[in-house]
Amino acid sequence: MAVKAQVLYDFTAEPGNNELTVQEGEILTLTNQSIGSGWVEARNSRGNVGLVPEDYIEVKTILIISFVFAINGNEAWTATTWSNNNPANNLNHAEQEPAGNNGSVYSFDEEWDDDSDDGKSTGGYGGSQAEEGGTMQRGGAHSTMKLSLNKFPGFSKTPNPEVYLLTKHISKGDDRLPIYMGEVGPVWLYPQIQLDCVVADPKKGSKMYGLKSYIEYQITPNTTNRPVNHRYKHFDWLYERLVEKFACALPIPCLPDKQVTGRFEEEFIKMRMERLQGWMSRMCRHPVISNSDVFQLFLNYRDEKEWKLGKRKAEKDEIVGVKIFSNIDPELPELDPAQVEQKYEMYSQFTRSMDNSVKELLAVGHLHWKRCTGPLQKEYRQIGKAFQNLSSVFNTSAYPREYTLKEALTATGKTYEEIAEIVAGQPKKDLHFLMETNHEYKGLLGCFPDTIAVHKAAIDKVKEADHLVVMNKISQQDKLIMEKNLSTMSYALQAEMNHFHSNRIYDYNRLVQFYLEEQVKFYETIAEKLKKALGQYTTM
Amino acid sequence: MAVKAQVLYDFTAEPGNNELTVQEGEILTLTNQSIGSGWVEARNSRGNVGLVPEDYIEVKTILIISFVFAINGNEAWTATTWSNNNPANNLNHAEQEPAGNNGSVYSFDEEWDDDSDDGKSTGGYGGSQAEEGGTMQRGGAHSTMKLSLNKFPGFSKTPNPEVYLLTKHISKGDDRLPIYMGEVGPVWLYPQIQLDCVVADPKKGSKMYGLKSYIEYQITPNTTNRPVNHRYKHFDWLYERLVEKFACALPIPCLPDKQVTGRFEEEFIKMRMERLQGWMSRMCRHPVISNSDVFQLFLNYRDEKEWKLGKRKAEKDEIVGVKIFSNIDPELPELDPAQVEQKYEMYSQFTRSMDNSVKELLAVGHLHWKRCTGPLQKEYRQIGKAFQNLSSVFNTSAYPREYTLKEALTATGKTYEEIAEIVAGQPKKDLHFLMETNHEYKGLLGCFPDTIAVHKAAIDKVKEADHLVVMNKISQQDKLIMEKNLSTMSYALQAEMNHFHSNRIYDYNRLVQFYLEEQVKFYETIAEKLKKALGQYTTM
């Protein structure tokens, strides 16, 4: 299948870099998505092929799937098949389950052997795309949750949301997810001590007598201070469980990309570790996720047996999909559906606008990074070389009063050469963190539409309730229960949005502050260096 | 005539600017040299037409003329027609004199009416090129003196250099140009107080009942503190007199460009004035030029009558061309021709190397200027806009703890927008002076080959002297006189080189110092602005 992408921002190719100049709005065909380092190869309508930054494009296949999901929900996900309530869908989905995901405790090690995580056998994008049945890169240019991609059997087991809305729920003690009225509105219950963990110490492991090798990361939670080991595929397993269980209520950000060319293995491992750390920290910060059995298992299992048993249990968890709302216990006055709808519109609008804004920052950051490490470095080197060449020429004058100027010019030239390296190294110091965090937010924001869609579908159903009462499909009592349940769902989304806002303010405050601090250091360092060079000249 | 140019440095076109990508060594046909602002329009061998920075190309017609001059000196200039000593040449050249240059006192105002200097009727490069019989832009991409261009009648009146070499000279009191042994070697006699002048206050004048308008500049020398007025064409007249009189001994740098499109009149007048100031200051600094009658006339004439009489006298000056050496009085031991030759080689080498180095600085400066005012400004604006857009989005969250971050992000965005303007305005503050001075030096260095060639030709003649003695063309006594005169010429060049070196060290010391000072201010200003923006964030 030819993957299409739409260009989000104008991009001008640097000559000699195999790049492709593209215009905003242009449609490209992706010819190679496994380039890595933020680049993809694409062909334009005139048949020209070249590299384009992945941040500048939006993959169209995903857009189409989302579209299908929104317009004709039963295509992708039974949770929205309200009026076309056909139980056969569930069966269909069940049949599509990959066999391995029902695997016993003993088949664990072989489960996803195709999905090698040693950075060697992952040939590239195209391959893994085929394996995963059309999923795109994670956390990359599109970043929707897997919700819409009809892969996860968990969702085929979830009850129809109509059933959730029509059922009177009594929250159970242990699994209860309370929501309180905080200063900013409805909020989740936050733990006294915030969970956190350190992802560190990547080690190469192997199995099958050394035929397969992989990287294992050490994760140490602040609660036990006892490290556990996990491979990338275990993170992936955790991610899939979290999506199954929580994605109707909480946007679960994608894991960092699985696909890369293995050429820069060390650098890649470091980058993946950093991104897994970012993902884990975000999960730890979430009061609902961090407190869940599956997440606790991932961080705290004591031995292989405990892990495998816990894993099996998690895979059989019944409280997944919209069922999660039955655990939610707002203990707050019921909300008016009209108000709820208004809030959803605002959330939709906000996350969409922020998504655009984050993409804009990424695009301009990407451009700036490229300029610093490319033309600017080259130019400062040239300036440095020009001063040094002038100094060399002056040195041949045989004029007796040459020495001071010659030395000063050499120092000036060397200073500009140093500046070239400082300029080229700067993005790693300041832009890197800004880009990484925005990249993470892009992933997170990409999950909101799916989550909000569940809520919007519920509103539509409640709106239809009067009609359904007349049609004798539901009773007046059912309608009131639906409204109560919608209110509960709404509190969940509000709590989640407030969690998002609070984290966002913390993150952006920290990231721009850090960026500016590094920028100040950068300009001050250069000014200091130039002052030193200036000191070599004779004053006049 | 199609003007050809060779590309000196690779240049990559910015898309959308009508620019042409060119490679070092490529030959272009210039299609429009009157673009201005340092650009010319050119066509490459594939027929593509676009703009190219003039500093990146070297005009080929001039190269060809220089070549003719070097190989077959009698083509262009009788001063080198040693073995082909045909007095008819002088007549030929005399016949080629423009009639106006013999003009009476009363015809003065009409002399060069074609050569309007009001920036309006100078249509462009092609036109004035035709008028001036093939001369190219002055002080521009090539910058040779007019020596080689066979225009100036003065040279047709000069005696053959052979005659100078063969004549025993007794220096006369008033016109005597003494050379002393200074700390750095042979030096001109420098005045106690250095002459300087201020070029200021350009005023529009008109004549022929307002049909012709021109700009008059006010020049005030530090000696009299009494201003005189001159039009550009008067500077041009002075330049021509100085070339006639001194160019065999002293490189006379070209005047700033005559040709421009008149579109940015005010800016152009300001730029021309600045460059005329630079040229005048350089002339004032020269002990031989500043002390000459013609230069003193230009600065000190009291009324129209004195000016016109002095002008007539200067035009009839007999001591021009190689005759100038007869005024030079070294009062120093005679030099060995072999030593002299070695020195000339060194001077040749040095001025050529410095010329290349200066061109390299200009090219990289040009590139940097373009980057600062183009892509970098744009990029910082985009960064600023991205932060401000993010702030606007955050402002719509309806989350109660938004205010501080929103305000801080807006401030950050505005700061980067300010930085964009600082970056774009910086070249005018620092690069401008560096570029102007290097441009001036490029012009000056372009004159050395012609001056040095006169000296080299003299050496060749002295080398041939033994043969000429045998042939009975000259006597043994003649040969000794030739060697004595060669020594005098050599002292003149040494004094001139030492003058050049001393000025060069002063100029480059000053210019790089100034550049670095402004660069330090630039980086410090940005660091300060960023610190201020940083202060808006809440500390964590």
Side-chain angles (χ1 to χ4, degrees):
Chain A
M1 184 187 63
V3 180
K4 299 281 183 184
Q6 183 159 30
V7 177
L8 298 172
Y9 311 98
D10 287 357
F11 170 71
T12 306
E14 284 276 327
N17 282 353
N18 294 324
E19 297 170 11
L20 186 67
T21 295
V22 294
Q23 309 282 325
E24 186 182 329
E26 204 179 330
I27 303 292
L28 306 175
T29 305
L30 301 189
T31 49
N32 187 350
Q33 296 175 57
S34 62
I35 302 293
S37 306
W39 294 87
V40 293
E41 192 192 71
R43 187 174 61 236
N44 65 17
S45 60
R46 278 145 286 141
N48 302 324
V49 174
L51 302 179
V52 178
E54 62 172 27
D55 288 338
Y56 282 51
I57 58 166
E58 187 163 49
V59 176
K60 290 296 271 187
T61 45
I62 293 303
L63 291 178
I64 292 157
I65 290 168
S66 301
F67 183 73
V68 168
F69 167 72
I71 298 295
N72 187 8
N74 68 322
E75 271 288 313
W77 181 40
T78 57
T80 55
T81 57
W82 178 282
S83 51
N84 182 18
N85 182 12
N86 177 6
N89 273 338
N90 295 349
L91 272 174
N92 285 344
H93 290 300
E95 278 164 16
Q96 287 169 10
E97 283 179 36
N101 278 4
N102 281 333
S104 74
V105 171
Y106 301 101
S107 69
F108 166 70
D109 259 354
E110 306 310 316
E111 264 173 31
W112 295 320
D113 264 348
D114 288 343
D115 183 10
S116 177
D117 54 11
D118 60 2
K120 271 183 182 161
S121 60
T122 53
Y125 217 143
S128 63
Q129 198 184 348
E131 277 166 34
E132 298 194 22
T135 61
M136 297 293 296
Q137 168 192 17
R138 293 166 196 177
H142 67 98
S143 309
T144 58
M145 282 183 291
K146 288 189 173 179
L147 255 182
S148 57
L149 293 171
N150 192 21
K151 186 190 165 192
F152 295 97
F155 271 84
S156 63
K157 292 184 216 156
T158 56
N160 187 298
E162 188 172 19
V163 177
Y164 162 73
L165 282 174
L166 286 168
T167 311
K168 193 162 186 176
H169 304 284
I170 301 134
S171 52
K172 287 156 274 177
D174 266 8
D175 294 330
R176 199 174 145 263
L177 298 171
I179 292 175
Y180 295 98
M181 188 53 73
E183 279 176 46
V184 297
V187 289
W188 300 116
L189 174 67
Y190 285 85
Q192 293 262 308
I193 295 157
Q194 191 179 280
L195 181 61
D196 205 354
C197 68
V198 174
V199 181
D201 203 15
K203 274 202 184 73
K204 207 162 184 170
S206 70
K207 58 179 183 174
M208 290 173 73
Y209 310 101
L211 281 176
K212 288 255 178 197
S213 58
Y214 53 83
I215 301 294
E216 213 166 42
Y217 301 88
Q218 195 183 68
I219 301 111
T220 313
N222 62 348
T223 41
T224 63
N225 211 22
R226 198 184 62 235
V228 293
N229 291 324
H230 282 297
R231 294 165 56 182
Y232 179 82
K233 72 174 185 184
H234 301 173
F235 285 94
D236 199 50
W237 176 86
L238 174 64
Y239 167 72
E240 293 181 1
R241 295 289 83 66
L242 295 177
V243 168
E244 279 178 1
K245 189 165 179 67
F246 295 118
C248 286
L250 322 169
I252 307 294
C254 298
L255 277 183
D257 293 0
K258 183 190 280 180
Q259 309 83 352
V260 283
T261 51
R263 282 181 298 172
F264 307 109
E265 210 175 320
E266 285 227 8
E267 205 170 312
F268 164 67
I269 291 166
K270 204 182 139 213
M271 175 65 89
R272 170 175 277 180
M273 192 174 75
E274 193 186 323
R275 288 179 172 173
L276 286 174
Q277 173 73 69
W279 189 82
M280 281 302 288
S281 292
R282 192 160 298 280
M283 296 300 101
C284 284
R285 271 205 256 169
H286 200 291
V288 176
I289 293 168
S290 64
N291 199 38
S292 67
D293 288 349
V294 64
F295 197 75
Q296 290 288 330
L297 168 76
F298 187 82
L299 280 183
N300 299 328
Y301 76 90
R302 281 162 192 276
D303 52 33
E304 195 75 345
K305 198 181 162 199
E306 189 178 341
W307 165 245
K308 286 176 185 181
L309 283 170
K311 191 174 164 294
R312 204 172 182 184
K313 190 181 159 217
E315 282 162 4
K316 290 188 171 165
D317 190 356
E318 289 286 323
I319 309 298
V320 292
V322 290
K323 267 193 189 166
I324 194 68
F325 293 114
S326 64
N327 281 353
I328 287 164
D329 182 13
E331 293 189 335
L332 290 165
E334 197 177 312
L335 292 165
D336 175 57
Q339 271 187 309
V340 168
E341 188 172 16
Q342 211 183 357
K343 274 214 182 319
Y344 288 180
E345 271 314 315
M346 203 179 70
Y347 296 160
S348 250
Q349 176 64 39
F350 181 83
T351 50
R352 207 163 46 231
S353 304
M354 182 169 169
D355 192 38
N356 286 335
S357 204
V358 162
K359 281 175 185 162
E360 184 191 357
L361 255 181
L362 283 170
V364 74
H366 185 88
L367 204 70
H368 191 56
W369 190 305
K370 230 183 101 182
R371 191 170 319 281
C372 289
T373 54
L376 266 189
Q377 180 187 37
K378 200 179 146 201
E379 198 164 294
Y380 283 114
R381 278 184 185 162
Q382 284 174 334
I383 293 173
K385 212 171 130 267
F387 279 121
Q388 289 194 73
N389 286 347
L390 194 67
S391 174
S392 300
V393 171
F394 284 6
N395 197 33
T396 66
S397 74
Y399 188 72
R401 293 176 184 169
E402 202 69 69
Y403 185 76
T404 312
L405 179 61
K406 185 208 81 182
E407 289 291 298
L409 281 174
T410 299
T412 305
K414 282 185 179 158
T415 301
Y416 276 98
E417 283 183 339
E418 280 169 41
I419 290 173
E421 303 318 308
I422 293 173
V423 165
Q426 189 58 20
K428 273 197 181 164
K429 286 192 179 170
D430 54 22
L431 256 186
H432 174 73
F433 182 56
L434 187 139
M435 298 289 277
E436 282 295 307
T437 310
N438 273 290
H439 202 73
E440 220 187 316
Y441 264 87
K442 192 175 80 166
L444 189 55
L445 288 161
C447 302
F448 273 97
D450 284 349
T451 300
I452 294 174
V454 178
H455 292 265
K456 284 190 174 173
I459 285 184
D460 290 343
K461 294 308 126 191
V462 170
K463 280 184 183 171
E464 281 176 46
D466 278 332
H467 179 66
L468 292 168
V469 170
V470 171
M471 301 273 287
N472 257 341
K473 287 208 172 183
I474 58 170
S475 67
Q476 183 64 29
Q477 182 62 22
D478 287 338
K479 193 198 140 193
L480 293 175
I481 290 169
M482 281 173 79
E483 284 174 1
K484 165 82 179 148
N485 287 334
L486 180 74
S487 171
T488 298
M489 283 178 75
S490 165
Y491 275 120
L493 189 55
Q494 286 185 56
E496 186 54 22
M497 280 308 292
N498 285 331
H499 175 73
F500 173 77
H501 284 320
S502 144
N503 275 277
R504 169 180 60 80
I505 287 172
Y506 174 81
D507 286 338
Y508 277 85
N509 196 30
R510 192 175 56 141
L511 94 88
V512 184
Q513 216 170 129
F514 178 79
Y515 181 70
L516 290 176
E517 276 164 12
E518 291 298 318
Q519 282 268 291
V520 168
K521 274 188 222 162
F522 168 70
Y523 287 105
E524 283 181 343
T525 305
I526 293 179
E528 270 317 305
K529 287 206 172 279
L530 290 170
K531 259 190 207 165
K532 223 172 146 188
L534 180 58
Q536 296 244 10
Y537 290 83
T538 49
T539 44
M540 288 181 296
Chain B
M1 183 187 64
V3 181
K4 299 280 183 184
Q6 184 160 30
V7 177
L8 298 173
Y9 311 98
D10 287 359
F11 169 72
T12 306
E14 285 276 325
N17 282 352
N18 293 323
E19 296 170 13
L20 185 67
T21 295
V22 294
Q23 308 281 326
E24 187 181 329
E26 203 179 332
I27 303 292
L28 306 173
T29 305
L30 301 189
T31 50
N32 187 351
Q33 296 175 55
S34 60
I35 302 293
S37 306
W39 295 87
V40 294
E41 191 192 72
R43 188 175 59 236
N44 65 17
S45 60
R46 276 144 288 141
N48 302 325
V49 174
L51 302 181
V52 177
E54 62 173 26
D55 287 338
Y56 282 50
I57 58 165
E58 188 162 49
V59 175
K60 290 296 271 186
T61 45
I62 293 303
L63 291 179
I64 292 157
I65 290 169
S66 302
F67 182 72
V68 168
F69 166 71
I71 299 296
N72 186 8
N74 68 324
E75 271 289 311
W77 181 39
T78 57
T80 55
T81 58
W82 178 282
S83 52
N84 181 18
N85 182 13
N86 176 7
N89 273 341
N90 294 350
L91 272 173
N92 286 345
H93 290 300
E95 279 164 15
Q96 287 169 12
E97 284 178 36
N101 279 4
N102 281 334
S104 73
V105 171
Y106 302 102
S107 70
F108 166 71
D109 261 355
E110 308 309 316
E111 264 172 31
W112 295 322
D113 265 347
D114 288 343
D115 183 11
S116 177
D117 55 9
D118 60 1
K120 272 183 180 161
S121 58
T122 52
Y125 218 142
S128 62
Q129 198 185 348
E131 277 166 34
E132 295 193 25
T135 62
M136 297 294 295
Q137 168 192 17
R138 294 167 196 175
H142 68 97
S143 309
T144 58
M145 281 184 291
K146 287 190 172 181
L147 255 182
S148 57
L149 292 170
N150 193 19
K151 187 192 165 188
F152 294 98
F155 271 83
S156 63
K157 291 184 218 158
T158 57
N160 187 298
E162 189 171 19
V163 177
Y164 163 73
L165 281 174
L166 285 167
T167 311
K168 192 161 187 177
H169 304 285
I170 301 135
S171 53
K172 287 156 275 177
D174 266 9
D175 293 332
R176 195 172 148 265
L177 299 170
I179 291 176
Y180 296 97
M181 189 52 74
E183 279 176 46
V184 297
V187 288
W188 301 114
L189 175 67
Y190 284 83
Q192 292 264 308
I193 295 157
Q194 191 180 281
L195 181 62
D196 205 353
C197 69
V198 175
V199 181
D201 204 15
K203 273 202 184 74
K204 206 162 185 169
S206 69
K207 58 181 184 174
M208 290 175 71
Y209 309 102
L211 282 175
K212 288 257 179 195
S213 58
Y214 53 84
I215 301 294
E216 214 167 40
Y217 300 89
Q218 194 183 70
I219 302 110
T220 312
N222 61 348
T223 42
T224 63
N225 211 20
R226 200 184 60 236
V228 293
N229 290 324
H230 282 298
R231 294 165 56 182
Y232 179 82
K233 72 173 186 185
H234 301 173
F235 285 93
D236 199 51
W237 176 87
L238 173 64
Y239 167 71
E240 292 182 0
R241 295 290 82 67
L242 295 177
V243 168
E244 278 179 1
K245 191 166 178 66
F246 295 119
C248 286
L250 323 169
I252 307 294
C254 298
L255 279 182
D257 293 0
K258 183 190 280 177
Q259 308 84 350
V260 283
T261 51
R263 282 182 298 172
F264 308 109
E265 210 173 320
E266 285 225 9
E267 206 172 312
F268 164 66
I269 291 166
K270 204 182 140 213
M271 175 65 89
R272 169 175 277 180
M273 191 174 76
E274 194 186 324
R275 288 178 173 174
L276 287 173
Q277 174 73 70
W279 189 82
M280 282 302 288
S281 293
R282 191 161 299 281
M283 296 299 102
C284 284
R285 272 205 256 167
H286 199 290
V288 175
I289 292 167
S290 65
N291 199 38
S292 68
D293 289 348
V294 65
F295 198 75
Q296 290 288 329
L297 169 76
F298 188 82
L299 279 184
N300 298 329
Y301 76 90
R302 279 161 194 275
D303 52 32
E304 196 74 344
K305 199 180 160 198
E306 190 179 337
W307 166 246
K308 286 176 184 181
L309 283 168
K311 189 174 165 298
R312 204 171 180 180
K313 190 181 157 216
E315 282 162 3
K316 289 187 172 166
D317 189 355
E318 290 287 324
I319 309 298
V320 292
V322 290
K323 268 194 189 165
I324 193 69
F325 292 114
S326 63
N327 281 354
I328 285 165
D329 182 11
E331 294 188 334
L332 290 165
E334 197 177 314
L335 292 165
D336 176 56
Q339 271 188 309
V340 167
E341 190 172 15
Q342 211 184 357
K343 274 212 179 324
Y344 288 180
E345 272 312 317
M346 202 178 71
Y347 296 160
S348 251
Q349 176 64 41
F350 181 83
T351 50
R352 209 163 45 230
S353 304
M354 182 168 169
D355 193 37
N356 287 334
S357 204
V358 162
K359 281 175 184 162
E360 185 191 357
L361 255 181
L362 283 171
V364 75
H366 185 89
L367 203 71
H368 191 55
W369 190 306
K370 230 182 101 184
R371 190 169 321 278
C372 288
T373 54
L376 266 189
Q377 180 187 36
K378 201 178 146 201
E379 198 164 296
Y380 283 114
R381 278 183 186 163
Q382 284 175 332
I383 293 173
K385 213 171 130 268
F387 279 121
Q388 289 193 72
N389 286 347
L390 194 66
S391 173
S392 299
V393 170
F394 284 6
N395 197 33
T396 65
S397 73
Y399 189 72
R401 293 176 185 169
E402 202 70 70
Y403 186 77
T404 312
L405 178 62
K406 185 208 82 183
E407 290 291 299
L409 281 173
T410 299
T412 305
K414 282 187 179 155
T415 301
Y416 276 98
E417 283 183 340
E418 279 170 43
I419 291 173
E421 303 318 309
I422 294 173
V423 165
Q426 189 59 20
K428 273 198 180 164
K429 285 191 180 170
D430 55 21
L431 255 187
H432 175 73
F433 182 55
L434 187 139
M435 296 291 275
E436 282 295 307
T437 309
N438 274 291
H439 202 72
E440 222 187 316
Y441 264 87
K442 191 175 80 167
L444 188 55
L445 289 162
C447 302
F448 272 97
D450 285 350
T451 300
I452 294 173
V454 178
H455 292 265
K456 285 192 174 173
I459 285 184
D460 289 343
K461 293 309 126 190
V462 171
K463 280 185 184 172
E464 279 178 44
D466 278 331
H467 179 65
L468 291 168
V469 169
V470 172
M471 300 274 286
N472 257 342
K473 287 208 170 183
I474 59 169
S475 67
Q476 182 65 30
Q477 183 60 24
D478 286 339
K479 193 196 140 194
L480 294 175
I481 290 169
M482 282 174 77
E483 284 174 2
K484 165 79 180 149
N485 287 334
L486 181 74
S487 172
T488 298
M489 284 177 74
S490 165
Y491 275 120
L493 189 56
Q494 286 186 55
E496 186 54 23
M497 280 308 291
N498 285 331
H499 175 74
F500 173 77
H501 285 319
S502 142
N503 275 276
R504 169 180 60 79
I505 286 172
Y506 174 81
D507 286 338
Y508 277 85
N509 197 28
R510 192 175 55 141
L511 94 87
V512 184
Q513 215 168 130
F514 178 80
Y515 181 70
L516 290 177
E517 276 164 11
E518 291 298 318
Q519 282 267 291
V520 168
K521 273 188 221 161
F522 167 72
Y523 288 105
E524 283 181 343
T525 305
I526 293 179
E528 269 318 303
K529 286 205 175 280
L530 290 171
K531 258 189 207 165
K532 223 172 144 187
L534 180 59
Q536 296 242 11
Y537 290 83
T538 49
T539 44
M540 287 181 297

